[in-house]
Amino acid sequence: MATIDGRPAQYGVSLKQLRELMEVRGSEGIDKIKQDHGTAEDLCSKLYSSPLRGLSGNASDLEHRRDTFGSNIIPPKPPKTFLTLVWEALQDVTLIILQVAAVVSLGLSFYRPPHTESEDDGIAHDEGEEEAGWIEGAAILISVAVVVIVTAFNDYTKERQFRGLQNRIEGEHKFSVIRNGEVQQINVGEIVVGDICQVKYGDLLPTDGVLIQSNDLKVDESSLTGESDHVKKGPADDPMILSGTHVMEGSGKMLVTAVGVNSQAGIIFTLLGAAAEEEDAEAKKRRKDKAADGDASAVTGNSHHATANSANADGVNNKHEKVEDEEEDSGVAPSSGGEKSVLQAKLTKLAIQIGYAGSFIAIFTVVILIIRFCIKTFVIEGQQWYPYYANYFVKFFIIGVTVLVVAVPEGLPLAVTLSLAYSVKKMMKDNNLVRHLDACETMGNATAICSDKTGTLTTNRMTVVESFICGKHYKTPPKFESLTSSVADLTMHSIAINSAYTSRVLPGDNIGDLPKQVGNKTECALLGFILDLGKSYQAIREEFTEDTFHKVYTFNSVRKSMSTIIKKRDGGYRIFTKGASEIVSKKCSFVHGKDGKLENYTKQMQDRMVREVIEPMACNGLRTISIAYKDFVPGKAEINQVHYEGEPNWEDEDTIVSNLTCLCIVGIEDPVRPEVPDAIKKCQRAGITVRMVTGDNINTARSIAGKCGIFKPEDNCLIMEGKEFNRRIRDSNGKIQQHLIDKVWPHLRVLARSSPTDKYNLVKGIIESTVNPNREVVAVTGDGTNDGPALKMADVGFAMGIAGTDVAKEASDIILTDDNFTSIVKAVMWGRNVYDSIAKFLQFQLTVNVVAVIVAFVGACAISDSPLKAVQMLWVNLIMDTLASLALATEPPTPDLLHRKPYGRTKALISRTMMKNILGQAIYMISVIFILLFYGEVMLDIDSGRYAEITDPPSQHFTIIFNAFVMMTLFNEINARKIHGQRNIFSGIFSNPIFYIIWIATLASQVLIVQFGGIAFSTAPLTVELWLWCVLLGAGTLLWGQVVTSVPTRSLPKDVFQWGSGEPQEVPIVDDPHNERSDGDGKDSKRTGQILWIRGLTRLQTQEDQEGETHEGGEIRVVNAFRQGLDARPSNPNLAAVLKKQSSLSKRLSQGSSLEYADMCPDPEDLQPPEIDVERLSSHSHTETAV
């Protein structure tokens, strides 16, 4: 018989049997195990695994298991090919219009009217020019091709980068398994069938398995079943553990029975993947049907179709998706519209404003050109119509489209994407792992930070420094010999047993290093206390293994304590309890006094203990923990014991954990991180209020907050406990009232003994408050599973990378890989830099837009032509602005960013200073261009290019106008680097090599275009003298910029000189099939036209949609706020039919209670499961650290 690692190669159970086993639940699962396999231990034997020692870890054994049962990896969805991305880029409406116009222009350029008719009417044509007439149409097509290829390449590069980042993050997600008797942290992708995994509070389970042992284990299976209630798990209750579910309480050990595509989540993924091709085919058919029906949404073009709603229609990861209880009671469905990020809200508003202006001017320009031409040609000159004149109309149309292209900030999407991507990459080095890109810029607007204490403001390296045992207060760890042996022995057993066995203290890596603390740091401090006594906790744990525990009440935010019940060797039970000192003390009726003597723990003694021991420790910043015990005996009971006849009712926790005997109180020190006080000062200087929200004692919290500098004694600030906070914010009916919260939060600095609900209510109250006219933008830190709601509610949620649970990481936007508050300050700096980079680009771009649009419009009115030709404007807009976005979006941050107040939620994106600069520079540029246009031929002694025929060659006159405009724009790019009125525009210019390299490259390209562009670019070569004039006029923008800066900003009216302020209304770009409104004649009444031309914003949305769809494990939510509205996709009966095969998924989708898209699915038959969420569910890592 073949053997692997010394055991038979044939397993006692097949892959099919294991899959069938995992499809049953509860008592059925217990019966199935009993019927087919005997016990969970027998199942371990069939898989050649040991419940205590796990697998051997031998490489050949692990590989054989992967070959037999599969690996814990689900193949990612294949990325889109480059050609697919090119095709998607071609779907842009404006590019399609340009392509059509260029093709018509090409066709007409080859049209030859009859020679005799042409001569008879006195229309003279230059044969050479006619032969070159095709060049303009070809040049436009080439320009479009360049834009499309650049866009596709940009998408392709970003996709590869984010896939690499995804793989990197997945590689960092570890899970605890037992191999060869040792607990190891391994990558989730390396877990195999037969592994013994340790599951604990906060884990997101990466595989299916069967429980071998559990302690008060409760699991949230809502992501699979739709049931929000936590399911109690245990070998005797329901031993089936499913991948993709969350451990909400307790701990345990499980045998892995299914991994990867064979796990329940993997099966769902496979079923959905099987329907993918059919789904795509049906989607195409629906689109064709819609187009045939003349659906209004078709007007907006495919580039908008993927967007569904410019306002984060993605109901999946809505940051403010919470629904009030009152709404739920009244049956109000949550909105799937979602909230925008701060920057996106302002960009949307600005894009709408620019879209209106651009559309109006473009249409007006075409109308004026056509009317003027018709009046001049057919009325004044009395000419007859010839097909040749169609050339003029095509030319006018191209001018109009080009004006429209220029009117919208074409480079804005790239600027936003580049700035965010550049910042995210750099933030990784600053210990900020950004999961949602929009969180990066939102953090720059943060006005408040609600921070945890432990690990964030403190080092999270805890040590017991004080203790109170047998009536004596020890300021240093006591010697074991100095303590009453019975009390010391009970204390050690209580600590060693009543702690998670995953918490350990290990020797340092090198001699002289501090011991390494693994697991819960508070428990590690207590275990270190045993080591300081000169004893070993491991010996006690080996004597009392986890499977001997009778009952465990695990720690949670409600109990604030943990209790473990074991069987005594001489009969009976003993319960060990530890927890917050004031809470456990209230449950104690006895205490070991001097020399270990048992005493009644009276109310007076408790008060004295609080006053003389607990409060002094807390005031020194120590976390105080009480340790207690209680015995249940079948025979005669001592005064502090409880006699029982039958089995005690262990479910009656209040009775079981009462009348305890206090063993000791310890004070645990968690020093403030040395860099935190300075970081908090920086926040306060930057206009950000830092609040501490902790579950600790109010005195401990006050002490630590004082050391950190969160408040000063002279400040008029509030420090309160959760109970008092709740009392103040609720009315007489117990309902939370916003006006009551508004009385508390402005002065609140420390919230102690707070529950996760308190934290959530505080964050929600601050965000929804209108006390501050600019509205508050709130960042929150959290590490526990119950911090999820507050992290989701916050504008930016920070999870702890070291101490944080998987659930907290899933709910967060940014993961602090070092759990350090100073990293949050760096995130603020990068966020402000992103915001400023976008503002810099807008200042530069809008100046170009204003000038180009006005010049084209006035040119059309005055000379029936645009001084800037279509190809020239495409060069300015699509090429140079793309380069400018790269140059301005990669400016590194400076400490000066933290010397100003945050912008807030509603402050205008384009400030008065920026608008002053935009209009000031536009006035200079327009003046120069019009002087050159009407008097340039006289001033520079050249031939006039005005009123040229369509067949005339390019003139030096109009080439100078084009060249001077580009030179002014180039020099104004240097001005645009400063947006706050700074005079030294060259400051830091050499710290960004990308900027000056691109600037020089653009200048060189312009020289080539002017000198050698010829008919294609409508340019004529210029002499050195004319070039010097152009450069001189361009450099004049630098001097003019100083003049503009001298104009006082405060004198400008706010309303006129601020754009992109406030939070725009939700304006859908395409129809939502679940939310159609029709007017009387059946036509769609949504005003899709108002967003038709917002190309700048929608291109970014389209790009990010592509990324969001292509990345595995839906945790990649690139610029989440710009994402595709998944709920806007129509239903798919084929997919729904497939889903019905998986009853648990059908239930999940019909109830719509997944963590990710609770408010999306209206009806089981209309289900269109979002690809991203299912990929998240079935991702082989199931990690919440994934991007």
Side-chain angles (χ1 to χ4, degrees):
M1 181 186 287
T3 61
I4 303 289
D5 192 26
R7 50 92 177 163
Q10 187 69 37
Y11 296 95
V13 61
S14 68
L15 173 62
K16 183 182 178 187
Q17 287 175 308
L18 289 175
R19 282 184 64 152
E20 288 173 354
L21 174 64
M22 297 315 299
E23 286 175 2
V24 292
R25 311 278 185 273
S27 57
E28 288 181 41
I30 297 172
D31 294 341
K32 181 84 171 169
I33 293 172
K34 200 174 289 182
Q35 178 186 330
D36 295 349
H37 309 290
T39 64
E41 287 73 16
D42 294 334
L43 187 56
C44 284
S45 301
K46 289 183 178 183
L47 290 169
Y48 305 114
S49 182
S50 163
L52 295 178
R53 297 189 59 79
L55 299 178
S56 65
N58 180 279
S60 59
D61 176 45
L62 298 177
E63 193 57 41
H64 185 260
R65 290 174 187 275
R66 289 191 188 97
D67 293 340
T68 308
F69 299 108
S71 60
N72 197 30
I73 293 173
I74 293 174
K77 184 179 175 182
K80 291 184 181 177
T81 63
F82 184 74
L83 288 177
T84 305
L85 295 172
V86 167
W87 175 249
E88 289 177 351
L90 276 168
Q91 306 305 305
D92 187 273
V93 179
T94 318
L95 290 184
I96 289 172
I97 293 172
L98 274 175
Q99 291 170 64
V100 170
V103 169
V104 172
S105 175
L106 269 176
L108 289 172
S109 70
F110 293 113
Y111 172 74
R112 297 286 183 273
H115 180 70
T116 54
E117 291 179 14
S118 202
E119 279 188 348
D120 292 343
D121 288 298
I123 303 174
H125 305 299
D126 184 297
E127 289 296 325
E129 292 303 329
E130 282 192 0
E131 287 176 8
W134 60 272
I135 291 179
E136 182 175 46
I140 292 174
L141 285 179
I142 291 170
S143 298
V144 168
V146 169
V147 172
V148 167
I149 290 170
V150 167
T151 303
F153 182 74
N154 183 37
D155 292 342
Y156 184 72
T157 307
K158 282 187 295 181
E159 183 175 309
R160 288 181 59 193
Q161 287 174 343
F162 283 110
R163 275 184 181 263
L165 187 59
Q166 167 77 347
N167 293 335
R168 177 178 173 181
I169 302 315
E170 285 175 351
E172 291 179 0
H173 185 219
K174 310 287 185 184
F175 208 77
S176 294
V177 300
I178 299 172
R179 286 189 179 169
N180 206 22
E182 293 289 325
V183 178
Q184 299 179 15
Q185 294 282 322
I186 67 167
N187 188 294
V188 290
E190 297 173 10
I191 297 175
V192 295
V193 169
D195 261 322
I196 305 296
C197 289
Q198 289 189 334
V199 298
K200 62 185 185 303
Y201 159 85
D203 281 343
L204 179 68
L205 298 170
T207 66
D208 293 352
V210 173
L211 272 178
I212 301 171
Q213 174 266 327
S214 71
N215 301 318
D216 199 24
L217 190 66
K218 291 181 183 174
V219 176
D220 176 6
E221 293 186 344
S222 62
S223 58
L224 285 177
T225 66
E227 298 290 347
S228 57
D229 292 340
H230 298 166
V231 181
K232 186 172 182 180
K233 296 285 183 178
D237 303 308
D238 179 1
M240 302 307 184
I241 297 292
L242 306 175
S243 55
T245 58
H246 300 107
V247 179
M248 304 306 286
E249 274 190 45
S251 61
K253 281 197 297 192
M254 78 168 183
L255 168 70
V256 175
T257 55
V259 295
V261 293
N262 297 309
S263 66
Q264 289 302 293
I267 291 168
I268 293 167
F269 177 81
T270 308
L271 288 172
L272 291 171
E277 291 184 11
E278 241 181 307
E279 177 189 355
D280 290 343
E282 292 236 346
K284 285 179 184 174
K285 187 181 174 188
R286 279 195 303 272
R287 281 200 295 269
K288 285 181 183 175
D289 293 344
K290 265 194 168 185
D293 294 340
D295 194 297
S297 67
V299 178
T300 64
N302 291 340
S303 68
H304 299 271
H305 190 278
T307 315
N309 190 322
S310 66
N312 184 16
D314 175 14
V316 178
N317 191 40
N318 176 6
K319 289 300 296 178
H320 301 277
E321 63 192 3
K322 309 299 177 292
V323 183
E324 292 294 331
D325 294 336
E326 294 82 10
E327 289 179 352
E328 290 175 0
D329 294 340
S330 61
V332 176
S335 166
S336 62
E339 294 267 342
K340 298 182 179 71
S341 74
V342 176
L343 178 61
Q344 189 214 359
K346 295 178 180 180
L347 284 174
T348 304
K349 185 79 175 252
L350 183 65
I352 290 170
Q353 292 168 334
I354 294 173
Y356 276 130
S359 301
F360 174 76
I361 293 174
I363 294 168
F364 202 46
T365 302
V366 176
V367 169
I368 286 179
L369 283 169
I370 291 173
I371 291 173
R372 184 180 174 119
F373 174 79
C374 290
I375 291 172
K376 180 187 173 188
T377 307
F378 303 121
V379 177
I380 296 175
E381 296 179 3
Q383 300 284 355
Q384 290 186 348
W385 168 260
Y386 283 101
Y388 176 78
Y389 288 127
N391 278 308
Y392 286 95
F393 289 95
V394 172
K395 178 185 172 187
F396 299 153
F397 181 65
I398 289 174
I399 289 172
V401 173
T402 312
V403 167
L404 179 60
V405 170
V406 174
V408 178
E410 187 65 30
L412 181 58
L414 192 58
V416 174
T417 306
L418 287 171
S419 186
L420 289 171
Y422 171 76
S423 299
V424 166
K425 190 175 178 183
K426 295 291 185 182
M427 285 171 76
M428 287 282 286
K429 295 178 182 176
D430 284 339
N431 303 308
N432 282 279
L433 180 59
V434 181
R435 297 176 66 247
H436 304 146
L437 287 193
D438 62 320
C440 180
E441 50 86 5
T442 304
M443 197 58 212
N445 291 288
T447 58
I449 298 174
C450 296
S451 175
D452 274 349
K453 175 182 74 69
T454 306
T456 313
L457 301 175
T458 59
T459 60
N460 204 19
R461 180 172 184 84
M462 301 199 185
T463 315
V464 174
V465 292
E466 293 187 28
S467 54
F468 184 86
I469 307 175
C470 298
K472 190 171 180 182
H473 194 154
Y474 296 90
K475 297 288 187 178
T476 57
K479 299 291 182 186
F480 183 81
E481 296 74 21
S482 64
L483 302 175
T484 305
S485 59
S486 59
V487 175
D489 196 55
L490 276 169
T491 301
M492 289 194 307
H493 275 73
S494 181
I495 291 171
I497 294 169
N498 190 33
S499 296
Y501 277 29
T502 51
S503 297
R504 295 172 295 157
V505 179
L506 304 176
D509 293 330
N510 302 306
I511 297 172
D513 284 0
L514 290 169
K516 288 195 296 186
Q517 295 184 337
V518 179
N520 183 282
K521 296 300 187 287
T522 303
E523 292 180 342
C524 287
L526 294 171
L527 296 173
F529 181 61
I530 296 178
L531 298 177
D532 289 340
L533 292 174
K535 299 295 179 181
S536 168
Y537 66 85
Q538 194 58 41
I540 299 171
R541 286 183 169 182
E542 287 171 2
E543 182 183 355
F544 296 92
T545 56
E546 280 185 288
D547 52 354
T548 63
F549 292 173
H550 190 72
K551 174 78 176 173
V552 177
Y553 302 107
T554 53
F555 180 90
N556 63 32
S557 57
V558 177
R559 290 189 184 113
K560 294 197 182 296
S561 65
M562 174 181 177
S563 302
T564 302
I565 301 167
I566 60 171
K567 285 188 175 180
K568 294 173 66 179
R569 296 197 184 284
D570 54 354
Y573 301 93
R574 174 168 287 162
I575 175 170
F576 292 118
T577 297
K578 73 168 188 294
S581 55
E582 65 267 39
I583 290 170
V584 173
S585 289
K586 288 176 183 175
K587 296 178 180 179
C588 291
S589 300
F590 308 94
V591 64
H592 285 286
K594 190 175 181 184
D595 298 328
K597 182 182 176 184
L598 194 65
E599 299 175 1
N600 283 323
Y601 198 31
T602 63
K603 181 73 168 63
Q604 290 77 14
M605 284 183 70
Q606 287 184 23
D607 292 342
R608 191 169 73 247
M609 186 77 80
V610 169
R611 192 169 57 252
E612 296 178 2
V613 177
I614 296 173
E615 284 190 355
M617 284 185 182
C619 289
N620 288 331
L622 304 184
R623 169 179 284 185
T624 56
I625 302 289
S626 286
I627 297 169
Y629 77 104
K630 177 180 175 181
D631 285 341
F632 292 84
V633 295
K636 186 181 177 184
E638 300 288 340
I639 187 172
N640 66 330
Q641 295 177 333
V642 176
H643 170 75
Y644 69 94
E645 295 290 344
E647 180 87 1
N649 179 13
W650 301 116
E651 299 306 316
D652 185 7
E653 183 184 345
D654 290 340
T655 303
I656 297 296
V657 187
S658 63
N659 296 319
L660 304 173
T661 303
C662 182
L663 287 167
C664 68
I665 295 171
V666 296
I668 299 175
E669 181 183 46
D670 187 10
V672 171
R673 290 180 183 268
E675 64 272 24
V676 161
D678 185 51
I680 287 177
K681 272 184 192 169
K682 285 182 182 175
C683 282
Q684 291 166 343
R685 198 183 308 126
I688 301 169
T689 304
V690 180
R691 294 176 176 87
M692 179 197 290
V693 184
T694 178
D696 239 334
N697 179 300
I698 191 166
N699 292 312
T700 307
R702 181 187 282 111
S703 172
I704 298 294
K707 291 176 183 176
C708 292
I710 288 176
F711 73 92
K712 297 181 180 65
E714 65 272 13
D715 289 349
N716 177 27
C717 61
L718 288 174
I719 298 172
M720 64 172 67
E721 289 188 335
K723 282 184 182 177
E724 173 67 9
F725 174 72
N726 263 299
R727 188 185 66 76
R728 290 200 188 190
I729 66 171
R730 295 179 188 273
D731 61 16
S732 55
N733 297 321
K735 293 281 184 185
I736 297 172
Q737 298 294 338
Q738 184 63 45
H739 70 275
L740 295 176
I741 296 178
D742 288 343
K743 291 179 182 177
V744 174
W745 74 259
H747 301 292
L748 183 68
R749 292 297 176 271
V750 178
L751 186 60
R753 284 285 178 245
S754 64
S755 68
T757 308
D758 297 334
K759 193 174 191 176
Y760 172 80
N761 289 335
L762 174 64
V763 172
K764 185 170 183 288
I766 297 175
I767 287 174
E768 294 182 354
S769 173
T770 54
V771 171
N772 178 353
N774 278 334
R775 303 283 301 280
E776 297 285 315
V777 177
V778 183
V780 170
T781 69
D783 56 7
T785 298
N786 289 326
D787 286 328
L791 290 169
K792 279 244 180 219
M793 168 53 64
D795 294 291
V796 182
F798 286 89
M800 303 296 110
I802 300 170
T805 62
D806 290 341
V807 180
K809 290 171 185 172
E810 179 190 50
S812 70
D813 301 293
I814 299 175
I815 296 171
L816 297 177
T817 55
D818 63 346
D819 289 12
N820 194 334
F821 185 84
T822 54
S823 299
I824 299 176
V825 180
K826 291 174 184 172
V828 172
M829 194 162 74
W830 277 107
R832 291 188 176 190
N833 191 58
V834 168
Y835 199 95
D836 279 8
S837 293
I838 306 305
K840 288 173 188 176
F841 178 76
L842 277 173
Q843 179 172 291
F844 167 75
Q845 172 82 74
L846 292 180
T847 307
V848 179
N849 293 352
V850 168
V851 174
V853 167
I854 291 176
V855 167
F857 178 70
V858 173
C861 297
I863 61 171
S864 299
D865 194 4
S866 172
L868 300 173
K869 305 303 178 189
V871 178
Q872 293 172 353
M873 283 203 275
L874 282 175
W875 155 244
V876 170
N877 194 63
L878 303 182
I879 311 300
M880 199 171 77
D881 290 352
T882 298
L883 296 174
S885 68
L886 182 61
L888 291 169
T890 52
E891 289 269 324
T894 62
D896 292 346
L897 289 166
L898 296 177
H899 294 165
R900 64 167 173 79
K901 302 294 181 191
Y903 291 126
R905 197 180 294 273
T906 58
K907 189 175 174 66
L909 180 60
I910 298 182
S911 65
R912 284 186 292 175
T913 303
M914 288 171 60
M915 188 60 84
K916 176 184 74 176
N917 293 338
I918 291 169
L919 296 180
Q921 291 293 346
I923 289 168
Y924 173 81
M925 292 184 188
I926 291 167
S927 302
V928 168
I929 289 172
F930 284 154
I931 289 170
L932 288 175
L933 176 62
F934 295 109
Y935 305 104
E937 74 275 19
V938 178
M939 293 166 57
L940 302 174
D941 193 21
I942 53 176
D943 292 334
S944 172
R946 294 192 301 280
Y947 305 111
E949 290 294 327
I950 196 168
T951 54
D952 287 350
S955 65
Q956 276 195 330
H957 184 192
F958 276 26
T959 303
I960 288 172
I961 293 173
F962 165 57
N963 199 31
F965 175 49
V966 172
M967 289 298 113
M968 289 188 290
T969 301
L970 262 180
F971 281 99
N972 189 45
E973 193 174 337
I974 299 172
N975 278 327
R977 293 182 62 252
K978 305 298 177 186
I979 57 172
H980 298 298
Q982 301 97 317
R983 287 200 175 274
N984 186 1
I985 54 174
F986 294 102
S987 170
I989 195 168
F990 292 110
S991 64
N992 184 14
I994 295 175
F995 180 87
Y996 58 76
I997 289 170
I998 286 178
W999 196 91
I1000 293 168
T1002 310
L1003 179 61
S1005 302
Q1006 178 64 15
V1007 172
L1008 293 174
I1009 285 170
V1010 169
Q1011 296 302 109
F1012 307 105
I1015 295 172
F1017 278 91
S1018 299
T1019 59
L1022 300 181
T1023 64
V1024 174
E1025 182 187 354
L1026 295 176
W1027 262 104
L1028 288 173
W1029 273 110
C1030 291
V1031 173
L1032 186 64
L1033 291 170
T1037 60
L1038 300 179
L1039 297 173
W1040 180 251
Q1042 297 298 311
V1043 175
V1044 172
T1045 302
S1046 302
V1047 176
T1049 305
R1050 293 183 183 278
S1051 61
L1052 305 175
K1054 270 190 179 181
D1055 296 338
V1056 179
F1057 282 80
Q1058 288 189 157
W1059 276 39
S1061 62
E1063 297 179 89
Q1065 297 175 342
E1066 309 296 329
V1067 185
I1069 290 182
V1070 297
D1071 296 331
D1072 180 347
H1074 303 312
N1075 186 29
E1076 291 188 348
R1077 300 186 190 90
S1078 297
D1079 52 25
D1081 59 359
K1083 294 180 181 177
D1084 185 69
S1085 61
K1086 291 180 181 176
R1087 295 180 299 162
T1088 54
Q1090 43 181 278
I1091 315 214
L1092 178 58
W1093 303 114
I1094 310 178
R1095 299 194 55 240
L1097 189 60
T1098 53
R1099 174 169 293 180
L1100 175 62
Q1101 293 169 328
T1102 313
Q1103 290 170 355
E1104 304 309 355
D1105 293 343
Q1106 293 160 6
E1107 291 168 13
E1109 291 170 3
T1110 52
H1111 296 310
E1112 73 166 298
E1115 299 310 317
I1116 297 190
R1117 299 182 183 94
V1118 182
V1119 192
N1120 169 52
F1122 293 86
R1123 284 252 331 283
Q1124 172 181 358
L1126 296 169
D1127 55 336
R1129 303 191 308 182
S1131 64
N1132 185 330
N1134 293 314
L1135 190 54
V1138 172
L1139 292 177
K1140 284 180 181 176
K1141 296 176 187 175
Q1142 192 72 14
S1143 59
S1144 63
L1145 180 65
S1146 298
K1147 187 175 183 184
R1148 163 202 178 200
L1149 291 170
S1150 65
Q1151 297 200 9
S1153 58
S1154 161
L1155 290 174
E1156 291 285 274
Y1157 50 101
D1159 53 355
M1160 288 177 49
C1161 298
D1163 181 292
E1165 290 301 318
D1166 292 329
L1167 295 175
Q1168 183 70 21
E1171 295 172 6
I1172 289 177
D1173 187 62
V1174 174
E1175 288 179 6
R1176 177 199 68 77
L1177 173 67
S1178 54
S1179 167
H1180 71 267
S1181 73
H1182 301 288
T1183 176
E1184 307 321 313
T1185 55
V1187 171

